[in-house]
Amino acid sequence: MVVLRVLTAVLVVASLVLGGLVLQSRQEDRAFNSARADALQAGRQAILNLDALSAATIDQDLARVLAQATGTFKAQFSKAQGDLKELVVSRKTVSTGKILSAGVVRSDSDTATVLVAVDRLVKDSTNVDGVTAHDRWKLDLELRGGRWLVARLEAVA
């Protein structure tokens, strides 16, 4: 009788431990999937922000891109934004992007690599009807202060 009670107690404890491990694993999976989805959304939005430039709102447009930037990309974009602003204003450019597809290539709890395919329509003083560019981007994102920011941006063929 004592052996049966001990075995029952061991089984109950083992069941509770196993249940706790399963619950913890599910919570970790949900957190991972949520972070992955957030990184993907941030990558998509970063490309839309980069493609949404207008001579009329260029200062706000550039600020929006910089707000989603960190690291190498932030340094490069900060350095180039003066030339970009001059080009957009002088040509009276209006551009918009349309995401065709996007996916997470790699991710962990605080970094992710996202690929984004986008069609960018650019209208300006030289092309009033607009020209569509088919762009493909690789974004390396980092989680900083609860926000996914673009650390590196690379055009891919």
Side-chain angles (χ1 to χ4, degrees), residues 21-39:
L21 291 173
V22 168
L23 181 61
Q24 180 182 359
S25 177
R26 285 185 181 165
Q27 289 171 337
E28 289 171 358
D29 286 347
R30 271 183 281 199
F32 177 78
N33 290 334
S34 177
R36 193 174 170 95
D38 291 346

Side-chain angles (χ1 to χ4, degrees), residues 56-100:
T57 58
I58 190 64
D59 291 326
Q60 297 93 324
D61 299 341
L62 295 173
R64 194 172 47 247
V65 172
L66 278 174
Q68 265 193 296
T70 191
T72 303
F73 176 63
K74 186 171 191 170
Q76 291 171 337
F77 193 81
S78 293
K79 185 176 179 181
Q81 73 176 338
D83 292 336
L84 180 57
K85 178 179 178 176
E86 183 179 319
L87 180 66
V88 168
V89 171
S90 69
R91 289 192 170 188
K92 299 179 177 95
T93 301
V94 176
S95 65
T96 57
K98 178 182 175 187
I99 302 293
L100 302 176

Side-chain angles (χ1 to χ4, degrees), residues 54-153:
S54 170
T57 58
I58 190 64
D59 291 326
Q60 297 93 324
D61 299 341
L62 295 173
R64 194 172 47 247
V65 172
L66 278 174
Q68 265 193 296
T70 191
T72 303
F73 176 63
K74 186 171 191 170
Q76 291 171 337
F77 193 81
S78 293
K79 185 176 179 181
Q81 73 176 338
D83 292 336
L84 180 57
K85 178 179 178 176
E86 183 179 319
L87 180 66
V88 168
V89 171
S90 69
R91 289 192 170 188
K92 299 179 177 95
T93 301
V94 176
S95 65
T96 57
K98 178 182 175 187
I99 302 293
L100 302 176
S101 63
V104 177
V105 175
R106 184 210 55 76
S107 67
D108 58 34
S109 62
D110 59 359
T111 64
T113 300
V114 173
L115 296 178
V116 179
V118 62
D119 279 354
R120 179 173 34 93
L121 178 62
V122 180
K123 296 180 181 182
D124 63 23
S125 58
T126 62
N127 292 299
V128 292
D129 292 330
V131 174
T132 300
H134 309 286
D135 298 323
R136 307 300 177 256
W137 298 102
K138 175 183 169 190
L139 299 89
D140 290 327
L141 297 131
E142 296 177 0
L143 187 61
R144 302 282 176 115
R147 295 181 57 226
W148 286 96
L149 303 176
V150 179
R152 280 173 294 288
L153 178 69

